[in-house]
Each structure stands twice: as structure tokens, then as C-alpha cells.
Amino acid sequence: MKNKESVSGSVSLLNSLVEEGADTIFGYPGGAIMPVFDALFDYKHKLKHVLVRHEQGAVHAAQGYARASGKVGVALVTSGPGATNTITGIADAMIDSTPLIVISGQVTSPLLGTDAFQEVDIVGISQPVTKWSYQVRRADEIAWATAQAFYIASSGRPGPVLLDFTKDAQIAMINHHYEKCTSIRSYIPVPKTDRNHLLRAAELINSAKKPFALIGQGVEIGNAERELIDFLEKAQIPAAWTLLGASVLPFDHPLNKGMLGMHGNLAPNQKTNECDVLVAIGMRFDDRVIGDVNTYAKQAAIIHFDIDPAEVGKNVDIDVPVLGNVKNTLPAVTSLLKQSEHDDWIESFDIVNGEEYDKVIADEIYCDREYISMGEVIRRVSETTGNEAIIVTDVGQNQMMAARYSKRKFPRSFISSGGLGTMGFGLPAAIGAKIAAPDRTVCLFCGDGGMQMCIQELGTIMQSNVKVKIIILNNKYLGMVRQWQEMFFNKRYSETPMLNPDFVKIAEAYRIKGRKVTQRDSLDEAVKEMLDHNGAYLLEVEVEKKGMVLPMIPAGMNVSNIILEK
């Protein structure tokens, strides 16, 4: 596209965003990015800008938007502290493979390196936690750099890119010309698939007596949910999911056997060490899944489907790597599979999960103790939405409980901070998710600790009228840390009890309707009121102070060390 008239670098940037299909920006203005914000004043019909209350909130909101929509999230901030405030969100996006463009302002080129007001080397700071980080000093680089950024962020294994724009590049005049980037020399986003590996994978699966699939977020990123189901059903392979793969497989699919990992379901963790073929699909063998690597699935042949060669064999020895996009590699293997039946093997999962239900789950979701449990709140909210809501979580006990006790029908319905475990992620991410999916109910579960880390984003909800449903599970503790203190530090609750504000009054100050529940008999009514309300709503539920997320495999141990009961 060519513009006959000269435009400023700022206009070139906004035109480039529009060319890439961006429709929403989460940002916060400041001195070094003011020319872009000034140009944005004339783009309200093309680009929606959401004014956050903190730059970390901008990045987390962009993450929530990206995770709910599958598009690239965009954040726009100023230099210095505005840029450094984005680093936590950028690192979170990097480890969780979230496509993101962070645009920061910078001092003018002649002032670079002089310690000018609000100057910081954000490119140097961000390089370890981005796929690409680049400083634009000339206006004629803007279209090229933006095209490169979108291609890098969204291709292959997605991730964050940072573009740092000097102020003189923003104001200089150029003839705007934009071409989308489709390739970069030496950058290979999708590795070549080895046909022999496809054949070997199919051979192992066809001969397996006890195959087991581990499903990660890579299936969702690759939009390969249908291909996954075809694969599992043809070979009759029971499957379990990682935290970020929680909404890849519908909760009621008969081959869905639950959650993996430290706080996962008993059967998937146990059967990992009983299967004869382990098929990992779009997951990275995180330490919270494998525990003790020396005893992890030693009896099994391991097949690993992944788009990132760096993940294959990194944490676990692999027998057959299947590199490529699972959208293509899964059907390629499926075509080589024979129709199989593993009824007894599949039934064995249900027997073990039944033991967990009796010892843990029934008491948690149908609690008859004095205090309300987290699990019963999550179950009731999920069921009242018809299990169709987008579930967003913060980090901690609320996160693990939401993964365990909410149910998901559709893809892109569970959004959480996985690898970095960022408290404060939940509230802004829920804002981004709701803006990306305005016709879907978005329910945020958070603890009293995490809620206060980005509580200022209630102002974003107020100003942009974002109809998020916020459920604070208030146990008056930093709950997950307290659980570890109780189990491994002789109940020495060092700095984990929380003296909290009146969350409902704070919500009301932001013109958000709120209610507090302390008794079980009013919970159902309050949940219904929250979901029926045409607007944002904050529901604070006072839950059991010393509730535990069980089962639990202690860090670095294996399933034989699993804790099922207090």
C-alpha cells in the first residue's frame, strides 16, 4: 500500500498496525510516546485504545486478548519506567508462548546514551525475554520493523516482540509503504517434518497396549483441536492436559482423563508411569509436570510432537521427535494409524480417578464443613454458566482450584499465567479476554493477594465498561505459600496472613457492583445475581482459611510421593 502524501512516523506506525489487522491497543501515554498518541486521536474508527492504569496491566491485558482471540496482542507505552514496567508481562508472554507486540517510546536519537530524562536501554533489558527486540531510529524503518515484528511474534512458536521508537522517528515525515513480512532469512519458524519419524510414531502407537497422550497449549495455538480429537479417537488413546492445555479437549469427551502435574488428577499422574507409549503433543515437559526426571515414564517409549526443536529432549529423553505444526503433523500420523481399542486401559483411569473423587473431590466441591471451600465456589460458577465461560485465573490456590473444578466446553476458555506464575496477571488478562470475546462470559478467579497486585485495573474496567465477572476467593492468606508452610515448614506462617481492605467498597468506588458472601446458603443466589447483572461485578467469597489444594506431588518428587489427604 502506498500513500502519495507524506505522513509522520507515528501515522506510519498506526497504518502498519491496521494493515496487520490489529484492532485493539492497550496502553498508557507519556512524554516519549506522545506523537503516537496524538496520531491515535484520529484513528478511533480503526483502532480501539484501552487506557490501562499501569503498564504491566497493559501487557497482561494484551496477553488475555491474544489468548482469547488467537490474534497478536498490542501494548503501547512510553520510555523509561513505562517501558521497564512491561518486563514482567513480556517475560510471562515469552514462557507461555503468547504472541505480543510491545511498542515503547524512546528519547530522541541524539540523546541516546546520555542518561536523558526517562531514558533506559529497554532493548538490552528485554532481549532475554523476547523473540526479537529492536530499536527504530528512522521513520523509514517503521513499516519494515512492524511487519517483521508481527511475523516473528505470530509465526512458529509465538512470543513477544518489543519495538522501541525514538521520538524523532515518530515525528519525521516519510512516504508510507507497507508490505507484510512472510519470511526472514535464517529464521525457520516451522521445522521440516521427518517422514521417517511420522512412520516410527505411527508404528509405536499401533503396537501400543497402553498408550497415553499428554496435551499442551501448542494444540490450541495451532488451532488443531479437531485434528487432536481425530487422532485420539482413531487410536483410542486416553489423554490428560497441562495447565495451559486445560481447554483444548472438551471436559466431557470420554478420552479426557484430567489434569497433569503437581496438583493434577491422580490417574493421569499415576498412569504416566504405567503406559507403554507416551505421546506428548504441544507441551514442553515442565518441571511441575515431570517432577523427578529420574523416575519419569522410564518404562515408556516417548513421542514428542512440537514446533520448537529446542524443547525436544530438553527435559526428558525422547524416542521419536515429530517436529512441525501439530495442525499438519497430527493428521499425518493419524492417517497411518489403525483403528484400535483399549477399553480396559481406558477404564483403569476411571477406577483410579474414582479413588481421588472419594478422597478429595467430593469433599471439596460438595463441602459440608463450616466454611465455604474454593472448589464449591468454582463448581457453582462454572455450572451456572453452563460450563461455557472463559475462565481466567490469577496465580496460587485459586488457579489450581479453577483448573481442577471449572469445566470447559470450548477452546480458548482457560487463561492463566503458567510458566512464570505471575500474581496480578488475572485482572488485566480478564479485561483483555472480555474485549477480545465480548459475547462470551468471562469469569476471573483470584485470591485476595493477587487481586491487590493489579487492583488499579478496576479503573480500566470502569472507564472502558468491561463486563468482567470477578470472583475473589478470600482466605485472608497468601494461600499457596501458606500451604507449603503448613506442609514443609512446620506451620511457621511467616508473612502469609493478609489484612485485607473491603473489596466490595473498593469496587463500588470504581462504580462496579459488588457483594460479599460469608454463608453457604447465599452463595447460589449471589452467583446468579453476578451472572445476570449487565455489567462488571465483583463477588467476594470468604472461604476456608486453611484449605488445601490436593492431590499434591511435592516439588522434585514422583507420583509415589503424592499426597491425597491432609
Side-chain angles (χ1 to χ4, degrees):
M1 171 183 145
K2 290 188 176 181
N3 245 338
K4 293 182 179 180
E5 297 180 2
S6 292
V7 298
S8 69
S10 296
V11 170
S12 178
L13 171 60
L14 297 180
N15 283 339
S16 299
L17 294 177
V18 171
E19 290 274 2
E20 287 290 346
D23 53 24
T24 304
I25 300 172
F26 301 89
Y28 202 93
I33 199 67
M34 281 180 68
V36 175
F37 274 90
D38 181 66
L40 190 60
F41 192 83
D42 297 321
Y43 275 72
K44 293 180 181 178
H45 61 298
K46 294 181 180 179
L47 291 167
K48 176 180 181 178
H49 180 268
V50 179
L51 178 64
V52 297
R53 297 302 186 264
H54 190 280
E55 291 87 356
Q56 181 177 344
V59 181
H60 291 328
Q63 287 178 273
Y65 175 92
R67 297 266 289 273
S69 67
K71 298 176 65 175
V72 176
V74 181
L76 180 64
V77 302
T78 193
S79 65
T84 58
N85 281 344
T86 67
I87 293 297
T88 296
I90 292 172
D92 192 288
M94 184 68 175
I95 199 165
D96 282 353
S97 305
T98 304
L100 202 66
I101 307 291
V102 175
I103 299 166
S104 60
Q106 184 56 274
V107 300
T108 57
S109 299
L111 291 178
L112 290 171
T114 69
D115 293 330
F117 178 66
Q118 291 192 333
E119 181 199 359
V120 72
D121 180 9
I122 194 61
V123 170
I125 291 170
S126 64
Q127 279 178 337
V129 290
T130 54
K131 285 187 73 176
W132 186 49
S133 188
Y134 184 76
Q135 187 173 79
V136 177
R137 300 186 185 185
R138 303 195 320 269
D140 59 9
E141 286 188 312
I142 288 175
W144 165 85
T146 305
Q148 296 256 127
F150 271 87
Y151 177 65
I152 292 170
S154 61
S155 60
R157 180 179 178 178
V161 169
L162 182 133
L163 293 178
D164 190 43
F165 289 82
T166 62
K167 199 168 184 178
D168 46 321
Q170 298 171 44
I171 61 178
M173 303 300 289
I174 56 165
N175 290 319
H176 175 76
H177 172 69
Y178 195 80
E179 292 181 8
K180 286 192 176 185
C181 178
T182 57
S183 66
I184 298 173
R185 191 175 63 180
S186 79
Y187 171 54
I188 305 172
V190 182
K192 184 178 180 181
T193 303
D194 189 321
R195 172 70 178 174
N196 290 327
H197 291 164
L198 297 176
L199 293 170
R200 179 60 179 151
E203 180 184 1
L204 283 172
I205 295 167
N206 283 333
S207 62
K209 303 298 182 185
K210 297 179 178 181
F212 183 31
L214 314 181
I215 304 166
Q217 187 191 201
V219 176
E220 194 168 73
I221 293 171
N223 298 309
E225 292 87 357
R226 183 66 254 172
E227 289 79 2
L228 172 71
I229 290 173
D230 292 343
F231 169 82
L232 296 176
E233 290 181 346
K234 187 171 184 181
Q236 280 295 287
I237 303 176
W241 35 269
T242 66
L243 179 69
L244 295 189
S247 60
V248 170
L249 194 61
F251 78 93
D252 56 356
H253 193 284
L255 293 173
N256 186 342
K257 300 305 175 185
M259 177 179 167
L260 296 161
M262 177 179 282
H263 294 290
N265 295 110
L266 179 59
N269 284 317
Q270 189 179 97
K271 298 299 178 180
T272 298
N273 285 350
E274 294 180 17
C275 64
D276 56 4
V277 174
L278 191 66
V279 187
I281 308 169
M283 54 88 71
R284 58 187 181 85
F285 287 106
D286 173 75
D287 63 290
R288 290 296 173 96
V289 167
I290 65 177
D292 180 8
V293 67
N294 295 312
T295 59
Y296 183 81
K298 292 301 181 182
Q299 80 296 335
I302 301 179
I303 302 166
H304 192 178
F305 288 76
D306 210 286
I307 201 168
D308 185 357
E311 293 296 343
V312 177
K314 184 175 79 173
N315 297 327
V316 173
D317 290 335
I318 301 301
D319 294 278
V320 182
V322 182
L323 295 175
N325 190 326
V326 290
K327 185 79 171 176
N328 302 317
T329 56
L330 275 174
V333 172
T334 302
S335 68
L336 301 170
L337 296 180
K338 62 184 181 183
Q339 193 75 43
S340 300
E341 293 183 1
H342 300 105
D343 294 344
D344 291 344
W345 170 238
I346 292 168
E347 185 181 351
S348 72
F349 281 78
D350 300 330
I351 293 170
V352 176
N353 275 339
E355 177 187 349
E356 180 188 346
Y357 184 88
D358 293 339
K359 290 184 176 180
V360 178
I361 297 173
D363 183 56
E364 181 65 36
I365 64 175
Y366 299 110
C367 182
D368 61 1
R369 299 186 295 275
E370 179 183 358
Y371 293 103
I372 303 169
S373 72
M374 289 189 183
E376 66 178 307
V377 178
I378 292 162
R379 175 186 66 84
R380 293 186 188 196
V381 171
S382 182
E383 289 180 354
T384 307
T385 68
N387 301 313
E388 294 183 355
I390 294 176
I391 302 297
V392 183
T393 83
D394 207 81
V395 169
Q397 287 185 317
N398 64 89
Q399 176 187 36
M400 295 297 107
M401 290 292 197
R404 287 177 57 82
Y405 299 118
S406 66
K407 296 178 179 179
R408 284 78 57 182
K409 282 186 180 179
F410 308 118
R412 299 193 179 274
S413 292
F414 189 85
I415 298 172
S416 191
S417 171
L420 200 63
T422 306
M423 289 179 68
F425 171 89
L427 183 58
I431 292 169
K434 183 62 179 177
I435 290 171
D439 296 330
R440 295 190 65 186
T441 299
V442 175
C443 293
L444 164 67
F445 291 103
C446 59
D448 43 312
M451 179 65 186
Q452 293 178 81
M453 285 203 168
C454 280
I455 197 169
Q456 74 281 344
E457 298 308 327
L458 292 174
T460 305
I461 290 174
M462 174 180 65
Q463 183 156 344
S464 295
N465 189 29
V466 186
K467 299 177 181 181
V468 172
K469 311 302 181 182
I470 304 162
I471 304 98
I472 300 177
L473 302 170
N474 187 355
N475 58 11
K476 301 179 181 177
Y477 272 97
L478 294 174
M480 189 59 86
V481 183
R482 181 212 55 77
Q483 176 169 331
W484 281 55
Q485 288 173 334
E486 182 166 331
M487 299 176 76
F488 309 118
F489 291 87
N490 299 316
K491 300 184 179 181
R492 290 158 59 89
Y493 302 124
S494 176
E495 302 304 319
T496 47
M498 296 282 286
L499 180 62
N500 291 314
D502 187 326
F503 289 111
V504 174
K505 284 186 177 179
I506 289 175
E508 290 173 352
Y510 283 103
R511 304 173 198 167
I512 297 169
K513 187 174 178 61
R515 179 172 176 174
K516 182 174 182 176
V517 171
T518 60
Q519 300 297 321
R520 182 172 287 109
D521 58 10
S522 59
L523 179 59
D524 285 344
E525 177 202 348
V527 169
K528 187 176 185 305
E529 178 183 300
M530 173 185 72
L531 295 173
D532 287 345
H533 177 65
N534 185 25
Y537 194 106
L538 186 146
L539 175 62
E540 177 188 357
V541 184
E542 197 170 285
V543 297
E544 184 178 7
K545 282 188 177 182
K546 295 186 178 180
M548 305 282 274
V549 185
L550 296 172
M552 180 179 183
I553 301 173
M557 297 189 181
N558 62 37
V559 70
S560 65
N561 305 113
I562 197 165
I563 300 167
L564 281 173
E565 299 173 283
K566 291 184 183 180

